[in-house]
Amino acid sequence: MRRTAILIMSLLVASLVLFLLLRLLPGDPAAALLSVGADQAQIEAARAQVGSDLPIAKQFASFLADMFRLDLGTSFVNNASVLDEIGARLTVTIPLALIGFMLSMMIAVPLGIISGVNTDRWYAQVISVISQVGLAVPAFWMGILLVLVFSIKLGWLPSGGYPASGWDKPGSVLTSLVLPAITIALIIAASQLRYVRSATLDVLGSDYMRTARAMGASFPEAFMRHGLPNGSIPVISILGIELSTAFLGAVVIERVFTLPGLGSMLLTAIEQRDYPNIQGVLMISTLLVLIVGFLADVLQRIIDPRLRQSKGLMQ
Amino acid sequence: MTTFGVSNLVALLRAAAVSAAAIYAGGTASAADYDPGAMITVGSMAEPLTFDSSIGVQGIQQAFYGNVYEALFQLTDAGDVVKQLARDFTISEDRKTYTFTLQPDVLFHSGEPLTAADVKFSIERIRAEESKSARKRSLSSITSIETPDDSTVVITISEPSISLPYNLSYIFIVNDSAGDLSSTADGTGPYYLDSFRRGASVVLKPFADYWGDAPTNGGVTFSYFSDPTAMNNALLTGAIDISTEVGSPDALLQFANNPNFTIAEGTSTSREVFSLNVSVEPFSDKRVRKAISRAINKPRLLNAVWGDHGTLIGSFVPPTDPWFVDLNAVDAYDPESAKALMEEAGYKDGFKMQLETPNVEPHQIVAQILQRDLAEIGIDLSINLITPNEWFTKVYKARDFQGTLITHVNHRDIGFYGNPDFYFGYNNPEVVKLIADSETMATEAEQIEKLTQANKLIAEDAAGVWLFLNPIILVSSSNVTGYPRNALNSQFFAYDIKKAK
């Protein structure tokens, strides 16, 4: 419970900071409704419509009131419900983050364990070097590289874009998500691999592994029965954070691949100073991070009986 | 009563270059060669954030004008004004009453018939108190709109206005019972809005009960990009059929000499303008403005930005406007006389000035070249990068600037210089009068004469520095033909596009 309270508090603080920062930035949401040729009276009318003519304190009061009513409002530019729009965008961002995350685990977990178990082998060194390189490569650059190779040169996958039919045709959606998901996977796998490797090293040096081997268990037996469950506990708490990273990575990668997800919604909203959309995206993203953290907590307790016994599920 | 045919409205004076450019692109696919059911995918950088045309946002014009919505008149790709939903019209002797007869049997996409009441409603929503349309001012002379019967609209204006039909070509005729049009559409065009996904695409499908000729394709998808490289990649991989914008001449290299692609260059109305705030010192001094204009090597600038593409025009008026004249000779590049003018104005040692530069290309490259050229006459130009939204707030609304770079995209917009309240801060009573008078002229020839004169005065005054006309370069897959290439006002008629079988 304490953890949830902290996250809600940070959501609140983040929204307030964002509110003030947005209004300190030069620019006016009314401009999104106007174009060159509009006269001063029209500009004032547009400001009145979006409320940017009101004193900051008044805008702040109405913002707070909406927050407490959990009302995300409607876009300044097109009157569309912010919540509906976020819902539509999440059908892109959530699958993208989840697929990217699962791919990254498929890369990081086996490679991390291999390089942890066989530290002195040449391939462990190679894996370690590759993960270092992966950490240093910016996500967007990786994306551009993959497009060059797999779309432009080989023509296997689309270079970007999202089918107009959406999930009505799951096949074409998945095709459009492959390259962006691989981009995300490669970037976060690099750091995940390092966590898995160090957890493996900890496990190998632990007393229970030595005891298990002393009692006659073979190495694979001991590792599968005692090493993996113990090693996965710290890894899961890190994975919770990594899933949030995948989610944030999706926001950046969407721009490279022209995907209509939460990230492109946020960038357009910032360009237009469309405050309701910006605030809505921030709140929902924070909520998602909160849920991921909570799930990671639950999973840890399921795996680790010590946590289950000593404390309640909701701490 | 005088009956005006189409030809009276059509500007006859037009630069030869334009007539040459204003033809439709590509080869001629004969009827048997194309697939009438083919969907055409058009790549664009201008996503409409709202579909409501009473809010002035660029992308609406591109996707919706002529495709989903029609007007009483249409501005063609060649820059002519032709009758569309107005089948005919008459003008009274005093030229203050226009009587329009509507095309019969026109249906909205919702199935309701077009009536005079819809036309009245559509014009009035742009004129309304709360209208944010940039076109509101152009309709201010209207005093009444009557609808004596379902197919007749009578518009009365306070003083003769030769541009009324032209101005009406901007007003989308919408169904008066459609309600909020920000995320839906109900027009009379050859396509209806089938679906859209914000941030990605708008899908238009042929309207079976369209009153005119059916489209030569099975629909069009506008696919939106935020980055020209991503759009070019999509064309290279066949994800789109046409790219409506090529960001730089370098990007063309990957399509040139490739038989799979066609490159079409048209004439645009998009001008790179270096505006000086004429209402503040030292830019209120004409000699300073002329010195700045003469210090800039415009041919070299255009070449640096666009290579062999684009056009130097020497004034604010694009070549598709009937009152275009080549004014490149006025204040052409001449650094020596620029220095002399600076000295004469009392700025022998130059001065410092700030340039408000939107953080999108080509403005950033242009700003750096201007910085170098102006340093030659002692002007220390500092570049202030701002977002387009900030530009609107700081420069357009508050007029808090010395110099600014911006792209002006409208067709026939010389009137901005006749409005002393506009952000240019330019106020020459002679120009204001010429522009106001041109509107009351009885013939197009007289209107053109007045506006040509105004254009020359504006250029002589160096009321701005008109750097160049951006080229409009479309690249398409070579099996696609029949698309418009000039993109006046960013419009893009999709109904004649054909895709080979």
Side-chain angles (χ1 to χ4, degrees), chain B residues 18 21-25 42-44 46 58 61-63 65 75-79 170 222 242-246 264-271 318 320 407-411 469-474 483-493:
Chain B
V18 179
I23 44 171
Y24 276 69
V42 179
S44 164
Q58 275 292 306
Q61 195 75 10
Q62 184 182 56
Y65 182 64
L75 179 70
T76 66
D77 191 50
Y170 284 87
F222 283 89
I242 301 171
S243 161
T244 51
E245 217 171 296
V246 172
E265 184 168 350
T267 182
S268 73
T269 49
S270 159
R271 290 141 290 159
T320 34
T407 311
H408 274 274
V409 294
N410 295 322
H411 183 252
L469 180 76
N470 286 301
I472 177 89
I473 304 174
L474 277 82
Y483 45 87
R485 52 159 64 179
N486 287 337
L488 306 181
N489 287 323
S490 319
Q491 63 194 24
F492 190 86
F493 304 135

Side-chain angles (χ1 to χ4, degrees), chain B residues 410-488:
Chain B
N410 295 322
H411 183 252
R412 299 197 191 182
D413 55 1
I414 189 177
F416 289 153
Y417 283 98
N419 174 7
D421 292 330
F422 203 63
Y423 84 96
F424 299 148
Y426 174 69
N427 186 2
N428 179 341
E430 211 181 329
V431 170
V432 173
K433 187 173 184 320
L434 276 170
I435 290 175
D437 287 352
S438 74
E439 222 8 67
T440 62
M441 293 295 109
T443 66
E444 181 118 29
E446 291 169 289
Q447 181 197 21
I448 291 171
E449 189 196 316
K450 293 272 181 199
L451 290 179
T452 308
Q453 214 177 326
N455 186 20
K456 286 179 177 165
L457 275 178
I458 296 164
E460 276 301 333
D461 275 346
V465 187
W466 306 283
L467 300 171
F468 53 80
L469 180 76
N470 286 301
I472 177 89
I473 304 174
L474 277 82
V475 186
S476 75
S477 159
S478 50
N479 64 347
V480 170
T481 55
Y483 45 87
R485 52 159 64 179
N486 287 337
L488 306 181

Side-chain angles (χ1 to χ4, degrees), chain A residues 21 98 118 123 133 150 168 177 208 293 297 301:
Chain A
L21 280 180
L98 284 182
N118 307 300
Y123 50 79
V133 173
F150 292 100
D168 296 344
L177 292 184
Y208 53 77
D297 243 17
R301 277 154 222 270

Side-chain angles (χ1 to χ4, degrees), chain B residues 91-102:
Chain B
I91 305 172
S92 65
E93 287 302 336
D94 65 356
R95 293 186 283 122
K96 290 184 182 176
T97 305
Y98 282 69
T99 305
F100 300 93
T101 316
L102 303 182

Side-chain angles (χ1 to χ4, degrees), chain B residues 2-10 73 81-83 88-89 91:
Chain B
T2 324
T3 305
F4 266 61
V6 172
S7 59
N8 301 59
L9 290 163
V10 173
F73 298 87
V81 180
V82 299
K83 288 178 289 189
D88 230 325
F89 69 109
I91 305 172

